[in-house]
């Protein structure tokens, strides 16, 4: 992530799924070190106490809730965004997040779907349709994005997506 943040210089990093807040803190530290951006971390139950960083804001709520999506889109309007989806891992939820947050990504920007390795890809074979299946279905109807192979070991094989063009009309 630090390589993408350094190369892309996003003005805002949006992560869904905060859990204990460690990834949000890491992302905020990267923004601080590189002198760019800020981080929004969305979760139903943000960490308490939340990690404290001047570039990190926690938003309490469901990342697919229309009001949360509206708030995040408003906060990200006109900014170069980098999006990480790591909240609920069922296929329907991931599809909703992809639809909600992909419009924030500009051409050349990245959207990463975490944990595409579950449901037998190769771990947790009995999980059921999840992130990997959502990405495959979504990419089939989203030609403005392409899959980019991560050049290292990852928990999200097939989950690195890059916008290659503006949406077709």
């Amino acid at each position: 992530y630090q390589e993408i943040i350094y190369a892309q210089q996003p003005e805002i990093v949006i992560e869904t799924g905060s859990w204990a807040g460690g990834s949000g803190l890491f992302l905020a530290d990267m923004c601080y070190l590189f002198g760019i951006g800020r981080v929004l971390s969305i979760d139903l139950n943000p960490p308490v106490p939340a990690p404290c960083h001047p570039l990190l804001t926690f938003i309490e709520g469901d990342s697919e809730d229309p009001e949360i999506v509206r708030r995040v889109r408003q906060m990200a309007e006109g900014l170069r965004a980098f999006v990480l989806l790591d909240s609920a891992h069922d296929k329907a939820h991931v599809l909703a997040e992809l639809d909600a947050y992909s419009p924030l990504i500009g051409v050349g920007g990245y959207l990463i779907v975490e944990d595409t390795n579950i449901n037998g890809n190769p771990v947790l074979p009995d999980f059921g349709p999840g992130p990997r299946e959502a990405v495959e279905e979504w990419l089939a109807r989203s030609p403005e994005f392409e899959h980019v192979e991560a050049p290292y070991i990852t928990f999200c094989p097939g989950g690195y997506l890059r916008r290659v063009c503006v949406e077709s009309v």
Side-chain angles (χ1 to χ4, degrees):
Y1 293 162
Q2 66 268 26
E3 292 175 18
I4 291 172
I5 291 170
Y6 180 77
Q8 298 283 309
Q9 300 284 301
E11 296 165 294
I12 191 164
V13 178
I14 299 160
E15 79 161 341
T16 65
S18 303
W19 192 58
S23 59
L25 184 58
F26 166 77
L27 295 165
D29 279 343
M30 291 300 101
C31 288
Y32 176 79
L33 288 171
F34 300 139
I36 48 100
R38 61 191 170 107
V39 177
L40 297 179
S41 186
I42 308 157
D43 200 285
L44 283 169
N45 302 297
V48 177
C52 188
H53 195 290
L55 300 178
L56 176 58
T57 301
F58 288 97
I59 297 174
E60 184 174 355
D62 185 339
S63 58
E64 68 174 322
D65 178 296
E67 180 55 26
I68 297 295
V69 172
R70 185 197 64 73
R71 273 182 65 198
V72 171
R73 284 184 177 182
Q74 184 178 29
M75 295 171 84
E77 187 174 351
L79 301 177
R80 274 187 323 280
F82 173 37
V83 175
L84 303 162
L85 303 179
D86 191 21
S87 59
H89 292 333
D90 62 276
K91 180 181 174 184
H93 186 84
V94 176
L95 280 168
E97 286 184 322
L98 283 163
D99 288 337
Y101 297 101
S102 62
L104 300 176
I105 306 298
V107 174
Y110 284 83
L111 183 155
I112 297 175
V113 179
E114 287 282 347
D115 299 314
T116 52
N117 62 334
I118 63 175
N119 196 35
N121 298 299
V123 300
L124 299 175
D126 298 325
F127 184 84
R132 176 66 149 287
E133 293 77 15
V135 166
E136 290 169 355
E137 181 178 315
W138 187 81
L139 277 176
R141 61 178 165 86
S142 303
E144 65 275 14
F145 280 84
E146 69 179 2
H147 164 256
V148 177
E149 197 61 49
Y152 34 78
I153 296 172
T154 178
F155 284 101
C156 20
Y160 282 70
L161 310 177
R162 182 176 55 209
R163 182 181 281 275
V164 293
C165 63
V166 294
E167 292 183 56
S168 52
V169 183

